[in-house]
Amino acid sequence: MTGWEQVVELLTSPLMQRALVAAVLVGAAAPVVGTFLVQRRMALMGDGIGHVALTGVALGWLVGSWAAVAPADALAVPGAVLAAVVGSVVIELVRERGRTSGDLALAIMFYGGIAGGVLLIKVAGGTNANLMSYLFGSISTVSTTDLWWTAALAVLVLTVGVGLRWALFAVSHDEEFARASGVPVRAMSMVIACLAALTVTISMRVVGLLLVSALMIVPVAVAQIFARSFGRTMVIASALGVTVSVVGLVITYWNDVPPGATIVVLAIALYAAAAVVHPVIARRRAAHDPHPDLSDDVLVPATDAGCEDAPPAVRAAGDHR
């Protein structure tokens, strides 16, 4: 089979079509929310929410078994969404009121989420093996129903995240300044928390609950190396998220390797390469004179001898030389 025939086979497979659409949606949405979390120095929040979402997955199984719903995991995604949103709101309230540190709240969510998921899945009549596809991702088993859930939540995340990006950025960068500027800080903080929860739930089929935070954060870390503005960081991070998700999925189509782990390893490798290349590019830019036709394109602050006749801005610069 030629390379072109293999590509045609990949693109015409219904399973891979669903998987590719899910990979593009998740790869685009996750870094958008990750941009706000990195700005707020809460990069590990996705991990805490992911663990709570595991309890929601098991709760969905339990309710489905009681209601005799088929298949058994039909309510797993709604359960994960509910648990993740509740958990994210709780941790935001704890962080806001300062009753305990954010790290401690995250740790409690880590352990409580895992323990609750393992316990509830047993009560529901399942086994721990049923949770593995949610923990580490199983994009090859994405059903049409899963895809609709992923599409709806991804569109919601992208619409809110991009539409409110400046207000959310203001809150993430400096809450006190945002509050003084009239931005509803509490409401925007809750929006960020809920967006993070929704992102975790839509990503669990692609990279898994244990690795979802990496897809949210690592593309942002790569984008920050090169981008000089918040808007560009978000755009580059989203593009990188789509790229590593699609490339990782294609690799797993022809190789028997876990898709979630492959996607995350690709993202980390991209970050390592960017960290190595960027200093070289920065040195070349520093050595290049943007105005070689001018003798000196730097304004030298006035000295004490002639400072009296200099403009006020120059005099101020001279005072702080």
Side-chain angles (χ1 to χ4, degrees):
M1 183 179 294
T2 65
W4 175 249
E5 290 175 338
Q6 289 178 334
V7 173
V8 172
E9 180 186 7
L10 183 151
L11 295 177
T12 55
S13 169
L15 184 148
M16 287 304 297
Q17 289 174 350
R18 293 194 299 269
L20 283 171
V21 172
V24 170
L25 291 171
V26 171
V32 169
V33 180
T35 307
F36 301 118
L37 296 182
V38 170
Q39 195 69 34
R40 302 191 85 187
R41 294 178 175 84
M42 297 186 69
L44 292 178
M45 185 175 183
D47 278 332
I49 296 175
H51 286 67
V52 173
L54 186 66
T55 296
V57 169
L59 184 62
W61 273 71
L62 181 61
V63 174
S65 65
W66 286 347
V69 176
D73 62 344
L75 300 180
V77 174
V81 171
L82 177 62
V85 169
V86 172
S88 65
V89 170
V90 169
I91 194 172
E92 179 59 33
L93 289 175
V94 170
R95 186 198 65 83
E96 178 187 296
R97 298 186 180 185
R99 294 182 179 178
T100 185
S101 69
D103 289 341
L104 179 58
L106 281 173
I108 294 174
M109 293 178 70
F110 268 47
Y111 306 131
I114 288 288
V118 173
L119 179 62
L120 288 177
I121 198 68
K122 186 65 176 179
V123 174
T127 64
N128 292 343
N130 297 127
L131 297 178
M132 296 301 290
S133 63
Y134 296 96
L135 284 172
F136 298 101
S138 182
I139 196 170
S140 60
T141 61
V142 173
S143 64
T144 302
T145 302
D146 292 333
L147 186 59
W148 279 113
W149 272 105
T150 301
L153 295 177
V155 169
L156 178 61
V157 168
L158 287 170
T159 301
V160 177
V162 175
L164 298 177
R165 62 188 181 280
W166 298 120
L168 298 178
F169 169 74
V171 172
S172 301
H173 182 68
D174 190 335
E175 286 191 5
E176 294 302 323
F177 177 78
R179 186 175 288 107
S181 301
V183 177
V185 172
R186 169 175 284 187
M188 292 299 102
S189 296
M190 290 300 175
V191 168
I192 294 175
C194 291
L195 288 179
L198 295 178
T199 303
V200 167
T201 56
I202 65 175
S203 304
M204 65 183 179
R205 279 297 199 182
V206 177
V207 294
L209 294 172
L210 294 183
L211 299 175
V212 60
S213 189
L215 188 58
M216 297 169 68
I217 302 304
V218 178
V220 178
V222 178
Q224 284 184 331
I225 294 178
F226 299 102
R228 298 184 179 181
S229 67
F230 175 78
R232 289 184 179 179
T233 298
M234 180 178 289
V235 172
I236 294 175
S238 185
L240 292 175
V242 172
T243 301
V244 296
S245 297
V246 173
V247 173
L249 179 61
V250 172
I251 291 175
T252 60
Y253 180 76
W254 287 299
N255 300 275
D256 187 17
V257 290
T262 302
I263 292 171
V264 172
V265 168
L266 283 175
I268 294 175
L270 190 61
Y271 174 79
V276 172
V277 171
H278 181 258
V280 178
I281 299 176
R283 283 195 297 268
R284 290 183 177 179
R285 286 178 178 174
H288 175 66
D289 187 353
H291 302 291
D293 55 321
L294 300 178
S295 59
D296 191 357
D297 51 16
V298 177
L299 178 63
V300 179
T303 60
D304 294 338
C307 190
E308 292 80 0
D309 296 331
V314 175
R315 291 203 302 269
D319 294 339
H320 294 88
R321 63 186 181 277

